[in-house]
Amino acid sequence: MTKEKTNANAMWGGRFDEKPSDIMDLINVCIDVDVRLWRQDLRLSKAHAEMLARQEILTEGDVSTLIGGLSDIEKEFEDGTFPLRREYEDIHMNIEARLRELVGDVAGRLHTARSRNDQVATSFRMWVRDAIGELITDIDTLRATLAKLSAEHKSATMPGFTHLQAAQPITLGRHLDAYAQMLARDKSRLEDCQKRLNECPLGAAALAGTPFPIDRDFTAGKLGFDRPMPSTLDAVSARDFANEFLFACAQAGLHLSRLAEEIILWATPQFGFITLSDQWSTGSSIMPQKKNPDAAELVRGKTGRLTGNLVQMMTVMKGLPLAYNKDMQEDKEHVFDSFDTISLCLKAMDGMLSTAAFNTARMRSAALEGFTTATALADWLVMSLNMPFRDAHHVTGAIVKLAEGQGCRLDELSLADMQSVHADITEDVFRVLKI
Ligand code: ARG
């Protein structure tokens, strides 16, 4: 590792004689990750500059130069020509360095009355807020698909399961609707997180605020926040919004993984409830007959990442003293990953379901197996013969045993067979034994 006697960092190197070591550079630089904040950082800087002019902290002339330069940078990002440079560590310093190249020394005035600590906290909150908006669109798309399928199959009989054993006959529509309900809660969890995170850290500066006569209400309003965060220390060091977001993503992923598991089971020849389209299946390199539900398996598997990301972030934050600590630079990568992952899973699930064929005849015949109307029989005994439920349960058990012995379904037993278990049973019972 080389030690060069040059003042390496133009942003903070005033008191430094040496460059960071190569390994220091590797552990410190995060531009590859936080480049995704560019849009939010530019919007923030424009609002901040505008506020500095309004408060007469900077001149109108300087601020219009700064805002012009920031707009040019925006175009460079959009065209893919913005030069990302490791020597400027992160997105915030890359943008400021580029601004200096474009507009000259006045660029140095942009950082008046702010710190990277309130800058990163604010732009990260804005990013998560935008990400939630996109995820809600993905969730709504999948909910609409589930609602459509539910309506289409509202009379399609299938076995409902407990312990993965046939339990009672239900409809496919009702089964799918359960997932639509879970997704509605996933959406409301994200909305809730979005509501709570929508306070603006800007103005907290490094941690203690700033002596300049800034207008925090103006910047908060301009950036779409409900209000400035009341505590400057909390503003720069709170990351519970990221934890909440990660939990909401993990929980949505967990719901999708349950649906994925059912798709995987249902696609087996043994179940045969669903046939995935070729678009959403893969083949085996050795077994020509195979059609594998890989997308569903990956949705199920990616729940591991989503849960891991939540645990990672909570572990980073545990025990950190106030206020900002560099540990917190580890906050973004996993949030970005959870967003990418859950967004992909929601889209894949939507694609799989909207192109799948549900084999309702097979579901119906499966619903006839496994004595699934036994609970209906017990209820009939209670309602028609005024039997206590516990006794009805025993009588029904005996009738199931009888059918099992004869190798037939409940509705294939004769009335005489049933009366041999309980003499008061009448012909009317067949009404509930059929599905
Ligand atoms: N890249 C840093 C992060 O994401 C920005 C904040 C740096 N602040 C500081 N005091 N070094 O956390």
Side-chain angles (χ1 to χ4, degrees):
M1 264 146 276
T2 51
K3 282 186 173 183
E4 288 171 35
K5 276 275 175 199
T6 61
N7 182 353
N9 194 300
M11 296 294 167
W12 44 253
R15 57 164 293 182
F16 288 71
D17 295 325
E18 294 181 323
K19 258 183 151 169
S21 98
D22 295 345
I23 302 293
M24 175 61 196
D25 181 81
L26 282 177
I27 198 170
N28 192 37
V29 172
C30 62
I31 183 62
D32 298 339
V33 172
D34 68 14
V35 60
R36 291 179 71 165
L37 297 179
W38 69 264
R39 221 180 269 285
Q40 290 73 20
D41 188 72
L42 287 172
R43 186 176 165 201
L44 180 160
S45 286
K46 284 185 177 179
H48 180 67
E50 196 182 332
M51 181 277 292
L52 292 176
R54 283 169 57 100
Q55 298 300 104
E56 297 178 354
I57 298 168
L58 295 189
T59 66
E60 291 282 351
D62 282 352
V63 166
S64 78
T65 306
L66 291 173
I67 290 181
L70 291 166
S71 295
D72 292 342
I73 289 175
E74 199 169 335
K75 283 193 208 82
E76 291 186 335
F77 272 108
E78 270 155 11
D79 305 341
T81 57
F82 182 89
L84 292 172
R85 287 167 294 189
R86 292 187 62 79
E87 65 264 36
Y88 298 117
E89 281 183 33
D90 64 14
I91 186 62
H92 317 291
M93 296 207 296
N94 263 272
I95 287 177
E96 193 185 317
R98 181 67 184 144
L99 187 63
R100 185 180 292 269
E101 287 167 359
L102 294 178
V103 305
D105 285 347
V106 63
R109 296 193 184 278
L110 179 61
H111 213 53
T112 311
R114 78 174 185 189
S115 149
R116 258 192 306 161
N117 295 351
D118 58 345
Q119 193 179 355
V120 69
T122 305
S123 46
F124 192 27
R125 272 176 197 259
M126 289 163 69
W127 191 94
V128 172
R129 192 177 63 186
D130 294 346
I132 289 174
E134 285 182 43
L135 289 183
I136 286 176
T137 306
D138 290 336
I139 290 179
D140 281 342
T141 304
L142 180 54
R143 286 172 69 214
T145 298
L146 284 166
K148 181 168 164 279
L149 289 171
S150 268
E152 255 169 51
H153 298 294
K154 75 169 203 266
S155 315
T157 309
M158 67 168 273
F161 297 90
T162 61
H163 312 267
L164 202 55
Q165 307 283 329
Q168 290 185 283
I170 57 167
T171 64
L172 174 57
R174 194 161 166 173
H175 193 99
L176 293 175
D177 175 63
Y179 287 103
Q181 300 302 321
M182 295 176 219
L183 285 165
R185 289 196 300 279
D186 294 329
K187 174 180 171 174
S188 87
R189 245 184 297 278
L190 285 167
E191 285 169 340
D192 195 39
C193 166
Q194 197 175 40
K195 220 180 291 161
R196 200 167 11 257
L197 71 70
N198 208 30
E199 293 188 329
C200 189
L202 201 62
L207 77 162
T210 165
F212 292 97
I214 57 170
D215 182 349
R216 294 188 71 200
D217 290 316
F218 174 81
T219 39
K222 189 90 188 165
L223 296 173
F225 287 100
D226 298 329
R227 64 192 76 83
M229 290 182 79
S231 158
T232 57
L233 276 85
D234 181 43
V236 290
S237 65
R239 292 294 184 273
D240 46 314
F241 70 94
N243 292 337
E244 284 190 33
F245 175 74
L246 290 167
F247 174 72
C249 291
Q251 181 57 66
L254 197 149
H255 284 151
L256 294 185
S257 82
R258 298 183 68 182
L259 178 52
E261 166 68 6
E262 301 213 286
I263 291 174
I264 294 160
L265 280 172
W266 291 8
T268 58
Q270 290 76 6
F271 267 86
F273 285 7
I274 196 172
T275 308
L276 293 178
S277 79
D278 287 354
Q279 277 184 294
W280 291 96
S281 311
T282 58
S284 155
S285 60
I286 179 171
M287 297 166 284
Q289 87 284 9
K290 291 293 287 292
K291 194 170 159 188
N292 296 326
D294 287 29
E297 291 171 80
L298 286 163
V299 167
R300 189 178 58 181
K302 281 180 189 293
T303 308
R305 295 166 78 102
L306 294 167
T307 312
N309 288 341
L310 170 64
V311 173
Q312 179 273 348
M313 182 67 196
M314 293 186 73
T315 311
V316 165
M317 293 307 295
K318 181 195 170 295
L320 286 189
L322 290 176
Y324 178 86
N325 299 272
K326 196 65 176 257
D327 314 43
M328 289 156 72
Q329 181 165 285
E330 289 293 309
D331 59 0
K332 286 169 278 303
E333 190 167 358
H334 298 266
V335 165
F336 294 158
D337 184 67
S338 279
F339 168 76
D340 293 341
T341 302
I342 190 67
S343 161
L344 187 60
C345 290
L346 286 162
K347 290 180 172 86
M349 193 53 89
D350 188 62
M352 256 185 292
L353 286 177
S354 50
T355 56
F358 290 92
N359 309 327
T360 49
R362 172 79 198 102
M363 287 184 173
R364 189 178 165 75
S365 67
L368 294 169
E369 293 155 20
F371 313 108
T372 55
T373 52
T375 310
L377 170 55
D379 290 341
W380 183 89
L381 293 168
V382 172
M383 287 191 271
S384 305
L385 305 184
N386 195 26
M387 206 180 272
F389 183 80
R390 200 44 69 203
D391 297 344
H393 190 286
H394 278 286
V395 170
T396 304
I399 294 173
V400 166
K401 198 166 170 196
L402 202 65
E404 208 166 27
Q406 294 187 14
C408 69
R409 301 196 313 249
L410 290 176
D411 64 328
E412 291 168 342
L413 287 170
S414 70
L415 183 58
D417 283 335
M418 281 187 275
Q419 286 172 339
S420 75
V421 178
H422 198 285
D424 297 346
I425 296 177
T426 67
E427 190 70 36
D428 181 57
V429 77
F430 287 100
R431 197 169 42 82
V432 300
L433 296 183
K434 297 204 193 326
I435 283 175

